[in-house]
Amino acid sequence: MTDPIWRTLGESVPGTSHTARSVPCQDAFRVCSYGPGGDWLLAAVADGAGSASRSDVGAELVCDEFVRLVTRAAPADLCAPAALVDLFAAVRSTVLARADALGVPPRELASTALLALVGPETAAFAQLGDGAIVCGAGDGYRVVFWPEPAEYANATDFLTDDGFAGAIRTEVVADRVTELAALTDGLQRLALDFAARAPHAGFFTPLFRRLRTEPDTEALFEPLRQFLNSPRVNERTDDDKTLVLAARRP
């Protein structure tokens, strides 16, 4: 996935526990350029609730709706915390309508939602639930919203929750972001150093280096898929795994 401004790569793979139970991957992602001249980047990631029967549908719908609504708006109009919360509310309304059409409670389409909108000199981030957004600008990486400890194991916030708006975290920065990653919680323990509360540079640096230097980005899809399905990763997690990477071209 390439364009004149960004090199992008992403993949979702089912966890070993899902494969063993013949459960589909409940993660989803979308990454694309938009705006005048394609100079803005959108990255959306959703992780469906493991206990919800149609959460794979919900996660896909969340990502599709982010793309549909964001690409129809002026980029500057969404670079404010209130606008991001309103955007999440609009996506949630579509998810609730789909649940009604399917004849199931909204909770059956539950998913988390992560969104990054990156422009030439501005970036807007919003997150509901677990997972992580990591960004850098040539001087190291940072986690935009550090994962919050849940009161109960495997518990998080979902877009279908009644109190969703109060659980959304937002940040708008006047920075030139040159590298971006978004991941679901299946990769948190591999990608993040919880003792230092920082990204593992050893995890991200080789990935971004390969993304920047590989002449044919399409050739990176299979290695990424193999990495996410490798024993090294599966020994640490049996959950679905999604990783999205984007690097600004020089």
Side-chain angles (χ1 to χ4, degrees):
M1 290 180 285
T2 60
D3 63 48
I5 298 175
W6 291 93
R7 295 173 64 91
T8 61
L9 180 69
E11 185 61 280
S12 294
V13 300
T16 54
S17 64
H18 287 208
T19 302
R21 294 181 288 120
S22 298
V23 175
C25 182
Q26 295 166 322
D27 284 2
F29 76 91
R30 302 289 184 271
V31 58
C32 66
S33 295
Y34 70 104
D39 54 358
W40 281 75
L41 176 80
L42 178 159
V45 171
D47 182 354
S51 59
S53 64
R54 307 301 296 274
S55 65
D56 56 326
V57 175
E60 294 280 352
L61 183 58
V62 164
C63 293
D64 285 339
E65 277 298 284
F66 274 133
V67 172
R68 187 179 71 86
L69 295 174
V70 169
T71 56
R72 292 172 57 184
D77 290 348
L78 296 176
C79 288
L84 292 169
V85 173
D86 288 345
L87 174 64
F88 273 56
V91 172
R92 179 177 185 269
S93 294
T94 300
V95 174
L96 298 188
R98 177 67 61 84
D100 185 61
L102 292 172
V104 299
R107 177 64 177 76
E108 298 304 319
L109 272 70
S111 78
T112 62
L114 287 71
L115 179 69
L117 307 175
V118 182
E121 302 294 340
T122 306
F125 307 103
Q127 180 167 334
L128 174 65
D130 50 25
I133 301 170
V134 174
C135 64
D139 55 354
Y141 307 111
R142 72 179 182 94
V143 180
V144 179
F145 308 107
W146 190 257
E148 295 180 341
E151 183 177 357
Y152 303 102
N154 300 318
T156 190
D157 297 300
F158 298 113
L159 192 58
T160 49
D161 294 347
D162 290 339
F164 79 99
I168 299 172
R169 291 182 284 175
T170 63
E171 179 180 299
V172 179
V173 296
D175 289 334
R176 183 174 175 80
V177 173
T178 59
E179 294 177 329
L180 178 84
L183 53 100
T184 52
D185 73 317
L187 289 174
Q188 282 182 184
R189 293 289 171 182
L190 287 88
L192 308 182
D193 183 341
F194 279 75
R197 293 178 65 87
H200 276 303
F203 180 90
F204 289 102
T205 300
L207 291 169
F208 280 122
R209 182 185 301 120
R210 185 79 184 274
L211 180 59
R212 286 188 176 281
T213 58
E214 173 60 51
D216 179 13
T217 308
E218 296 293 325
L220 296 177
F221 281 99
E222 186 56 30
L224 177 60
R225 188 176 299 112
Q226 290 178 0
F227 166 68
L228 294 176
N229 267 327
S230 66
R232 169 192 169 192
V233 173
N234 288 332
E235 286 170 0
R236 300 284 301 276
T237 177
D238 64 357
D239 198 3
D240 294 339
K241 295 146 293 199
T242 292
L243 179 62
V244 174
L245 300 167
R248 192 187 297 272
R249 291 177 180 272

